[in-house]
Amino acid sequence: MVNVGVSDGMGTAVATVEAKKADETTAVFTLDKAPSCASSGELKLPDLYSALSVTDLRELAFEIVCSVQMDEEQLETARIALDIDQELADKIQKHSEKFAPAIKEEGISARIHLRAMISAIEHFNGPLGEGEQFFKKRCRAACELLWARHCSEQNASASKKTAAKHDSDDDTPNLTTQNVLSEINRMLTLPEVDATWVESAIEMIESVIESEKNGFGYPGIFGMKLYVELLSAVFDQVEDYTLAYDATTIIDSFQPVACALGLTDETSRGVMLAFAVVRQAIAAMKDVGIDYDEGSPALALLSKARDSLHRTETKMSPAVASAVSSILSWGRFMLHDFMHTVAPPATHDDRDILMIDPEVFDVIVDITYDTAQMLGLDGVAILKDACQKSACAEYDRVRTAAMEDANVQGGDATCTSLRTIAQTTAHSADQFSAHLERYIVTSPGMSSNVTGCFAAQLGDRFKKDLYAWLESGPQLNVQSLETIWTVGDLQNALVATGGDAVEPMALDERTSVLVFTWLNVKIDDLNTIVDRCISTERWKVNKDSAPVPSAVDFLRAVNETLDGFFSLKIPAHVSALRALTEGIDAAVRKYSRSAVQSLGSAEEIVPPIPTMTRYKKAIVDDLHNNFKSEEPPRFSFEEGCVGASTLRLTSLKFLMDKMYLLEQEIIPKWKSMQRSASLLTHPNAEHVVPSADWFEGMMAGARQALRQSMSQIANHMAYSVIYRDLSGAILHNIYAQGVHRSSHNISTEILPYLDGVLGYVAVRLDSQTRNAVGSFLLQATVSGWMRVLLNGGPSRVFVANDVELLEEEIEILRDFFIAGGNGLDVAEVTARITPMSAILSMMSLSTDDLCQNYTDLSQKEMHTPVSNADDTDIINIHTADVVLRVLCHRAEHSASKWIKAHFSIRKTESAGMFGFM
C-alpha cells in the first residue's frame, strides 16, 4: 500500500511516483480486504494508506477525546495513557475549545483535524518552522479519507464503466479526489511549508470531501486504529498489565467516540476492546512470562478479551472482520506448537520462546475457537489443525533428539533411536493428556475427537519411521525386540489419549516376515547343531542307563529354540508355530535316522542261505558223527549289539519322553505368548482365535520319527542277537544231530541268552520299550528256527516223529515270551508262532501228500502270484517253495527220489521271506 509523505525532504519525483501509484489503483481494490487466517505471532491491523505512526495516531486520538464532553480527570487519564506531552496536550485542548460549539452541533468527525489546523494556522504567517509537523500529521489523516473516497470512486467506475467526476463551480478548477490526493502527496514532500500551503491543503480537502454525504466519517481501519490507541486508557497506569479499576466507566465514556470512529455496534466495540487487551496481554507475556508471584497478568487480560467477543455474531464489517482475523491468526500461532510453548508440559529454558501456562492456554483456545466462529470458519477444524501441527512439531523434536543421541558402538543405531522415540513420544502423549487435553475438550463446541487427532498424528508420524525400519529387515535380537515391545507401550499411551482416533500400528502384518526369517535362521542353527551332535557322537556304551551326550545337547538346542520363539512376545500367526515345530520334526528325524545308521547296515546281519540239497543217508550219518558244537558267546552285553542298541533306544526314548513334555507345553506357552503380544496390538482390535486344526498333530512328525527309529533299532538288535550273537547256537548247533538225539535245542541254546538280553533291556528301559524289543526278539527267533527247519543245510533232516518234540519246543518258546502274563500279549505271541505250527503240520504229512501238495500249489501259483498275509510280519507258509524245502529236509528215500526225478538242486537259493526284515 502507498505511504503518504514518508520523508518530508523528498522531491517532486517522489510525489509523482506516489501520484502514479494512486492512479494505478485497480477497480477490484477494496479498502478492507478479506481477512486472512494464516497464523502469525503479531497482532496487527491492516496498514494505513498514510504513513501515520503510533505516536501520530495517539495524538489524533487525543484530539478527538478533547472534543468530547469529559471531565478533567478522565481527560488527564487519556493523556497519560496516550503518552501525550503536556505542552502538546494544552495546545490541542486550546484548539478544541475554539471549535467545540461546532462539534457539538455537527457531531464528531474527521473534520475535527481540519478545524484544528484552521485554529492553529491563525498564529502563523509565512514559514511554519517546527510547527509544520502538526499540520502534516493532520493532512496525512485527511489523506485516509481521500484514499477511501478514491477507492470507492474506482470501484464505482469499474461497475458503471464511467468515471464519476466532482461537481464544482465554473470559476474553480475541476477537482477530483485523485487530483487532490496526488497534490497533497506532492505538497507533503516539499522541503518547507508555510501558512499558504496549509490553507491551500485545507481548501482542497474540504472542497472534495464536503460534497460527499458523511464524507468526513472515519474509514474503517483508520477509525479502528484510532480507537485501539484510545483504549490504552482502560489499563492501569501504575500497575503494569492490568485493567484500571474504572475500565468499564472509561469504555462507556468512549462510546460516542467509538461510534464516530465507525464502531457503531456492541460487537465491533467488543472486538476492538479484545484486540487492545490481547495486544496488552502479548506485552505481558513477553515481559513477565510465566514467572509471577500472584495471578497471571496475561490470564486476566485474555479472560477479559474472551468475554468481550460475541462469539455468536457473524455479521461484521470487513474492517472489524480483519481485526477478528488478526486475533485468530495470533491464536493459531500460539497454538501451533503448544507442547513447546505451554509449561507444563514444556520444560526447556529457551528464553527466545514465548512461554505460557496451561490456564492461559485454555483462554487462548477459547479465543481461537470464538474468533473462528465469528468469521464463519470451522473452529473445531482449526483446533484440530493446531493439535496436528503441535504433534508434528513435537515428534520432529523428539526424533531429532533421539537421532543425535544414538551413538551405538556395534549396534543398530536406528533401532536404538526408534526405541527412544517411542518412549519419548509415549511420554509426550501422557503429558498432553495430563496437562492440556482437558482445556481443549472443555471449550465450547469441543469433543474428544479434537484432541484425539494429536495422538493420532503422533502415531501416524511414528508409523512411517517404524515401517521403514521393519521393512529394512532387522534381525530379531534383544535390541530390536525391546524396540518392538516399546511400540506396544507407545500404542497404549496413544490410545489412552486419542481413543478411537488412533489407528492400530498393525505390527502383526509387519513383523510376520521378521518372525519367519528368525525361524529360518533358528531352524538352520538347529540343523547345524544336529550335524555336530551326529559327527561327534561315538555311542560309547556305559553300564548306566543315561542317554548319550549328543541327545542331551540336541534336546537343549530344541528347548532353546522353542523358548527363544516364545520369548519373542510379538504378534505372530499360528502358522509360524507350525513352521517351527515342523522344523524341529525334521531335525529329530535327522538325529534319529543317524542313530539307526550308526549301527551299520541291516542287510548284512542275516547270512546267506546254504545250498539246497536232497537227503542222502550216508552223507547225513557222516555229518552227524563228525559234528562238533560251537561255544556260546562269552562277551558281555555292553560289548555287543545288545549294549549298542540299548544305548540308542535309551537315548531316543529319552528324547521321546522330553518331546512329549514339550508338546504338552507348546499350546499353553503359545497362548501366553499371544497374551503378551496382545499388549502390542490396538486395545480395540478384534482378536482372532486360531482354529483347533492348527494345533492338531503338533510334533507328530518327531514322535513318528522316534518311534520308527526305535523300532528299527529294536529290530536290528533282535536279528543281531539271533544271527550274530547266537549264530553258532542256531545256525550250527540246534538239531544238527537230529531232533531225538540232539541236546542243542531252544531251551538250552537260545532262551537263556534271550532272557539275559531282556533282563538287560528291562533294567534300562521302560516296560513298553522292553516289550517292543521282546516282540522283535520273538520275530527274529521264529525266523531263525524256521531257517533251521527249511534252510538248515544237509545235516538237518527230519522225520514225522520229530513233530511232537518240535511242538514242545514251540510251547516252551510261547511260554517264555508270555512270561506268565508279564511279557508279551498272548494274541501277539500266538500270531508270531503260527508259521511254526503250520510248518509242523506240513512236516506231519506223508511224502505222497507233500508231493501232491507241491503239484497243486505250483499250478495255482502259475495263475496267482504268492503274497504274504495281510500282516506283513507274518510269513506265508502255504507255498510250493516251502513244501519243496520240507521234502528236501525229509529223511526218506522216497522223498529224495521224487526230488531227483523233478529237480536239479545244485545252487544256493535266496533267503527270501526268511531273511532279515
Side-chain angles (χ1 to χ4, degrees):
M1 183 173 286
V2 178
N3 291 326
V4 180
V6 175
S7 173
D8 291 337
M10 297 177 66
T12 57
V14 176
T16 304
V17 172
E18 296 291 346
K20 183 179 180 182
K21 289 182 178 179
D23 292 341
E24 292 174 349
T25 304
T26 61
V28 297
F29 178 84
T30 57
L31 179 61
D32 302 311
K33 294 183 178 180
S36 171
C37 294
S39 62
S40 171
E42 298 182 5
L43 191 66
K44 59 182 293 185
L45 294 170
D47 293 332
L48 293 173
Y49 171 78
S50 61
L52 291 170
S53 65
V54 173
T55 302
D56 298 340
L57 289 171
R58 291 191 168 194
E59 181 178 330
L60 295 173
F62 183 72
E63 192 167 70
I64 296 171
V65 171
C66 289
S67 65
V68 182
Q69 295 295 330
M70 297 183 69
D71 57 39
E72 293 184 3
E73 183 179 351
Q74 291 178 331
L75 195 60
E76 180 63 13
T77 300
R79 184 191 70 79
I80 295 173
L82 293 171
D83 196 21
I84 304 297
D85 180 75
Q86 185 64 57
E87 181 180 354
L88 177 60
D90 293 340
K91 183 189 298 185
I92 293 173
Q93 285 181 276
K94 181 179 178 181
H95 296 318
S96 298
E97 290 173 357
K98 292 182 180 181
F99 54 78
I103 298 301
K104 185 176 181 181
E105 180 181 350
E106 299 173 1
I108 303 173
S109 68
R111 183 173 286 207
I112 292 173
H113 310 300
L114 290 182
R115 292 186 182 278
M117 292 172 65
I118 294 172
S119 174
I121 201 63
E122 295 177 355
H123 304 285
F124 292 94
N125 184 13
L128 302 179
E130 296 180 357
E132 70 176 27
Q133 288 301 323
F134 179 88
F135 299 99
K136 285 187 175 182
K137 290 177 185 178
R138 283 147 185 83
C139 283
R140 292 191 188 104
C143 285
E144 289 296 326
L145 279 66
L146 293 171
W147 177 252
R149 179 177 173 84
H150 174 64
C151 292
S152 178
E153 290 174 353
Q154 288 289 82
N155 290 335
S157 65
S159 61
K160 296 178 181 179
K161 302 298 182 180
T162 59
K165 295 187 177 180
H166 174 66
D167 293 332
S168 62
D169 297 334
D170 295 337
D171 297 336
T172 59
N174 186 16
L175 296 177
T176 65
T177 306
Q178 179 178 338
N179 292 338
V180 171
L181 186 60
S182 298
E183 181 62 19
I184 297 297
N185 283 332
R186 186 192 66 79
M187 295 171 65
L188 286 171
T189 58
L190 294 176
E192 188 175 280
V193 297
D194 54 16
T196 304
W197 179 94
V198 174
E199 292 171 352
S200 176
I202 293 172
E203 183 179 356
M204 286 189 293
I205 293 169
E206 283 194 329
S207 65
V208 173
I209 297 177
E210 203 171 39
S211 63
E212 183 77 15
K213 183 180 180 181
N214 195 29
F216 283 99
Y218 287 94
I221 298 299
F222 186 35
M224 287 166 49
K225 286 201 172 190
L226 289 171
Y227 186 66
V228 167
E229 297 304 326
L230 191 58
L231 287 175
S232 300
V234 303
F235 301 106
D236 194 299
Q237 302 305 311
V238 177
E239 188 174 352
D240 294 335
Y241 311 119
T242 58
L243 289 168
Y245 72 94
D246 57 347
T248 303
T249 303
I250 296 175
I251 293 171
D252 291 340
S253 67
F254 286 162
Q255 184 171 341
V257 177
C259 292
L261 294 175
L263 305 172
T264 58
D265 57 90
E266 189 67 29
T267 298
S268 58
R269 291 193 292 272
V271 168
M272 299 320 300
L273 176 60
F275 186 94
V277 173
V278 170
R279 188 172 65 175
Q280 190 73 355
I282 295 174
M285 286 185 279
K286 291 180 178 179
D287 187 18
V288 180
I290 58 176
D291 298 326
Y292 43 81
D293 297 330
E294 298 180 2
S296 168
L299 177 61
L301 291 171
L302 291 176
S303 298
K304 177 63 177 178
R306 177 183 59 188
D307 297 338
S308 301
L309 295 171
H310 297 260
R311 61 178 63 90
T312 58
E313 182 62 55
T314 58
K315 294 181 180 180
M316 298 174 291
S317 68
V320 175
S322 66
V324 176
S325 177
S326 181
I327 298 174
L328 173 59
S329 65
W330 171 79
R332 296 183 69 174
F333 173 80
M334 294 299 293
L335 299 179
H336 83 286
D337 190 9
F338 51 68
M339 293 295 292
H340 196 56
T341 59
V342 183
T347 57
H348 63 83
D349 55 357
D350 187 350
R351 297 189 177 275
D352 293 332
I353 303 297
L354 184 61
M355 303 294 292
I356 59 177
D357 55 36
E359 287 75 17
V360 172
F361 169 80
D362 179 24
V363 181
I364 293 176
V365 169
D366 292 345
I367 291 174
T368 303
Y369 178 79
D370 292 345
T371 51
Q373 295 297 101
M374 293 177 70
L375 293 172
L377 303 176
D378 188 347
V380 172
I382 288 176
L383 289 182
K384 278 187 176 181
D385 179 68
C387 288
Q388 290 172 339
K389 288 181 176 178
S390 294
C392 290
E394 177 71 4
Y395 186 82
D396 289 340
R397 280 190 296 273
V398 168
R399 188 176 188 274
T400 300
M403 296 298 289
E404 289 176 352
D405 293 342
N407 184 16
V408 181
Q409 298 294 332
D412 186 347
T414 303
C415 176
T416 303
S417 299
L418 202 61
R419 182 166 64 252
T420 304
I421 292 172
Q423 293 169 341
T424 313
T425 304
H427 177 71
S428 297
D430 292 339
Q431 290 291 93
F432 170 76
S433 179
H435 298 292
L436 302 180
E437 180 181 17
R438 64 181 181 273
Y439 295 121
I440 300 177
V441 174
T442 56
S443 295
M446 294 299 104
S447 66
S448 60
N449 292 333
V450 177
T451 56
C453 67
F454 176 84
Q457 188 66 35
L458 286 177
D460 291 343
R461 291 293 304 275
F462 179 78
K463 277 193 286 190
K464 292 180 181 179
D465 289 334
L466 174 65
Y467 291 171
W469 174 64
L470 292 176
E471 289 171 2
S472 69
Q475 293 183 353
L476 290 181
N477 50 31
V478 174
Q479 190 180 25
S480 61
L481 286 174
E482 286 181 357
T483 298
I484 295 175
W485 295 334
T486 307
V487 173
D489 297 335
L490 169 61
Q491 182 166 244
N492 291 333
L494 294 178
V495 172
T497 301
D500 294 337
V502 179
E503 294 292 332
M505 292 288 183
L507 273 177
D508 50 345
E509 301 174 6
R510 304 284 175 168
T511 58
S512 57
V513 175
L514 303 184
V515 171
F516 277 96
T517 302
W518 182 90
L519 286 176
N520 290 335
V521 172
K522 292 302 179 180
I523 290 173
D524 289 344
D525 292 344
L526 184 60
N527 285 316
T528 301
I529 293 174
V530 171
D531 292 339
R532 184 172 66 247
C533 290
I534 292 172
S535 63
T536 58
E537 184 54 63
R538 297 294 176 262
W539 299 101
K540 184 178 180 181
V541 180
N542 298 315
K543 292 186 177 181
D544 57 20
S545 58
V548 292
S550 63
V552 177
D553 292 342
F554 173 61
L555 179 65
R556 183 184 300 111
V558 171
N559 272 314
E560 290 175 353
T561 303
L562 283 171
D563 290 344
F565 175 75
F566 292 128
S567 64
L568 293 178
K569 296 181 181 179
I570 61 176
H573 191 264
V574 68
S575 58
L577 175 63
R578 194 79 189 189
L580 174 60
T581 56
E582 289 175 357
I584 294 174
D585 290 346
V588 171
R589 280 195 296 272
K590 179 186 288 189
Y591 182 83
S592 60
R593 191 184 307 120
S594 71
V596 175
Q597 293 172 348
S598 64
L599 288 171
S601 174
E603 301 298 329
E604 300 176 358
I605 295 178
V606 179
I609 294 176
T611 303
M612 186 181 295
T613 59
R614 50 192 174 86
Y615 171 70
K616 289 186 180 181
K617 186 176 185 305
I619 295 175
V620 170
D621 290 343
D622 183 61
L623 290 173
H624 288 178
N625 292 331
N626 296 320
F627 170 77
K628 291 183 179 179
S629 64
E630 291 191 5
E631 295 296 325
R634 301 293 183 182
F635 52 82
S636 65
F637 289 133
E638 285 82 2
E639 297 175 2
C641 67
V642 175
S645 299
T646 302
L647 178 62
R648 287 160 176 77
L649 288 174
T650 300
S651 301
L652 297 187
K653 184 62 172 61
F654 165 77
L655 288 177
M656 179 175 285
D657 292 341
K658 296 300 182 181
M659 289 296 173
Y660 175 78
L661 295 177
L662 288 179
E663 182 181 355
Q664 301 305 307
E665 296 173 352
I666 282 179
I667 296 179
K669 286 185 176 181
W670 164 260
K671 292 180 178 179
S672 175
M673 173 187 177
Q674 294 309 294
R675 284 193 296 271
S676 299
S678 66
L679 299 176
L680 305 183
T681 60
H682 196 282
N684 298 333
E686 181 179 355
H687 298 288
V688 179
V689 179
S691 170
D693 296 340
W694 281 101
F695 301 102
E696 289 183 0
M698 199 79 71
M699 304 291 289
R703 293 196 309 270
Q704 182 180 0
L706 290 170
R707 280 196 298 265
Q708 183 178 3
S709 295
M710 290 179 69
S711 295
Q712 291 175 340
I713 292 171
N715 193 32
H716 191 287
M717 178 174 67
Y719 277 83
S720 295
V721 167
I722 296 300
Y723 287 102
R724 286 180 175 171
D725 294 1
L726 296 177
S727 62
I730 293 178
L731 301 181
H732 183 73
N733 292 352
I734 189 172
Y735 309 145
Q737 293 175 296
V739 176
H740 287 283
R741 294 176 57 197
S742 176
S743 60
H744 304 287
N745 52 45
I746 287 180
S747 300
T748 60
E749 298 283 331
I750 299 174
L751 296 186
Y753 192 82
L754 296 184
D755 185 61
V757 171
L758 291 173
Y760 182 87
V761 172
V763 171
R764 290 160 177 78
L765 293 163
D766 62 303
S767 60
Q768 184 179 2
T769 308
R770 182 206 63 188
N771 287 343
V773 172
S775 178
F776 283 108
L777 280 175
L778 174 59
Q779 180 180 338
T781 302
V782 171
S783 172
W785 189 82
M786 293 182 65
R787 179 187 176 100
V788 171
L789 268 62
L790 300 178
N791 299 291
S795 66
R796 265 62 177 261
V797 292
F798 307 96
V799 295
N801 293 335
D802 293 337
V803 172
E804 183 178 354
L805 292 176
L806 291 174
E807 286 178 344
E808 291 179 3
E809 291 276 271
I810 294 175
E811 191 64 24
I812 292 171
L813 183 65
R814 177 179 181 277
D815 293 341
F816 174 81
F817 279 100
I818 293 176
N822 296 320
L824 301 180
D825 184 70
V826 175
E828 180 183 1
V829 175
T830 302
R832 292 294 181 190
I833 65 176
T834 296
M836 301 174 71
S837 299
I839 290 292
L840 295 184
S841 297
M842 196 176 295
M843 291 173 64
S844 66
L845 297 176
S846 64
T847 300
D848 292 339
D849 290 339
L850 288 173
C851 293
Q852 185 61 46
N853 283 347
Y854 178 82
T855 302
D856 294 342
L857 290 172
S858 296
Q859 293 177 354
K860 180 179 179 181
E861 290 170 7
M862 291 178 61
H863 301 91
T864 305
V866 177
S867 62
N868 286 342
D870 293 338
D871 186 351
T872 56
D873 291 340
I874 305 300
I875 302 171
N876 188 356
I877 299 301
H878 303 287
T879 65
D881 180 71
V882 172
V883 174
L884 178 60
R885 293 176 185 278
V886 170
L887 286 170
C888 287
H889 287 277
R890 173 154 286 199
E892 284 187 12
H893 178 69
S894 59
S896 178
K897 182 178 179 180
W898 184 85
I899 292 171
K900 181 179 179 181
H902 293 83
F903 301 97
S904 176
I905 299 179
R906 294 179 179 178
K907 59 182 180 179
T908 303
E909 305 219 356
S910 171
M913 55 194 159
F914 305 112
F916 176 71
M917 300 184 66

